[in-house]
Amino acid sequence: MKDRLVDQAKKLTSSGVVVRVVSNDRVMRLATGVMDAKNRLRAARERAAEAWDILLNGHALPNIDPALDDEAGVHVATPSRAAARQPAAGGAGGAGLSVVEETASSDAPRERTAERAAARTHVNGVGANGAGSNGAGTYVAAAAEQQLATQMAARTSLSRIGGRDVFEKAYKFMTADNARAMGVYPFFRPLDFNNGPEAQLEGRTVIMLGSNNYLGLTTHPKVREAARNAIDKYGTSMTGSRLVNGSMRLHNELEQKLAAFHGKEAGLVFTTGYQVNIATISALLSNKRSVAMIDKDDHASIYDGVRLAQAAGARMVRYKHSDPAALDSALSELADTEGALVITDGVFSAQGEIASLPGIVEVVKKHKARLLVDDAHALGVIGPGGRGTAAHFGLGKEVDLIGGTFSKSLASIGGWLVGERKVLDYIQHFAYSFLFAASAAPPCVAAAMASLEVMQEEPWRQEKLRENFTYMRTELQRLGFELGKTETAVIPIYIRDDLKTVMMWKSLLDDYSLYVNPFITPGVPPKQQVLRTSYMATHERKHLDHALEAFEKVGKKFGVI
């Protein structure tokens, strides 16, 4: 009896009519507000007490979650430096605050922490949601922040729970358990096999549109053989860091090949792609005269690298997404004694958008700053021979540092960085996360090196990849889906609603055996929820046409098209 009732409830909750009603923004806001009223009131009291304590004592705020898009200030282009420097008319507690987030000098910690407390969403006199302020320097609450507070109140307030037992918040976290019980939990699903365009999930075959295996090399015979041979020759691990016993000729060989491939002087191999940004940024921005200038949509690994740099006294300024004019404005406000490292994704991992690199390079050169491009999703995808973003624009010599990961086109696990030899030599001697981390395992290094070779030996893979993602982009747009500014193998389908995104993901998987990735808040900003799809050189037209048929039917069912 109980099982029958559960089955009936699941069928009811997945029906199109019910989903359209319960996924309505107003209904969701009302339901969320009622269910989490107690937590939200408690969180509000905590925030008020914390803000007052900060204003009185200068304690630092916790670091932001990069996924909460407008939680920190974002620098946009300003008409003039003089206007940009006008003091705020009054923030929280009546404190006068500067225009750019964390622009107070290094010898004024109390002023800087007051900025952090109140200058949450100010964007040089413009609200972070794009609405004009009521006067110069007036701080306005972003609509996105308010939407997040109502839609995801349970999750955001839960993370603030504190007390004697640091596990308390874990015991109160019920969202994942409830979603699992309802059969709508989309994350951490264990695959039986993931062999390329098709995968096996819980005993059934699904078409994989959620992998970053862009060139389809994870099962390439040459790549597999290279990994096997490395295990036979070197074993499974070096059991130590590069500093001591973890360096081997295999690492050096790959470093040389990566440098030559990108036309750079030297290369450096890391254990993970995430580690590349943490190590590089923290090593180079190691004092109070250092500034990280980052695109507001940069990857979380970049934000974490900046956090480590901030611990050493560096500061962060975020500029408006892919906007060279905003970067120019932000760099123009640096003190003469400050140096900046500008950091941007080459291809943005959620949007599939290529960075505005020509304009960024021009601005960086103008202000004598340095530039790091994260090409995790660009290598093998864009540029002549798959050489990435800088090569795509013919700017390989103009970008100081280019980094990325093995875990996409190079079909392995690890990370890489190329640039000047002296700069890389400094990083490997001063980045703790490199010095004290175990080195990349021999089979991983060998597989990545073989993938790099195959990429050059089989150029048809990049050509086929472009053909596949161009076809899908054209057809999805024809069906009426909103895709943003994607130009690459990552194609986001904007749904702009948490519940609807999850329910569409479930229908695509359950009814059409189509595997995609749902991105919901707080992983993405409010109203930016998407079904993220990604494509491979090894997808056949039959895979793509089946996917299009499924998208059309599910999109109509949920009222997206």
Side-chain angles (χ1 to χ4, degrees), residues 61 64 139 153 190 226 233 246 259 323 337-338 357 359 377 400 409 422 424 450 460 465 560-561:
L61 282 173
I64 65 165
Y139 289 84
K233 185 174 182 178
D323 187 338
T337 57
E338 291 182 310
L357 199 59
H377 293 269
D400 298 295
S409 292
K422 285 295 292 180
L424 269 58
W460 66 263
L465 174 63
V560 174
I561 57 174

Side-chain angles (χ1 to χ4, degrees), residues 82-96:
R85 288 175 174 172
Q86 290 179 357

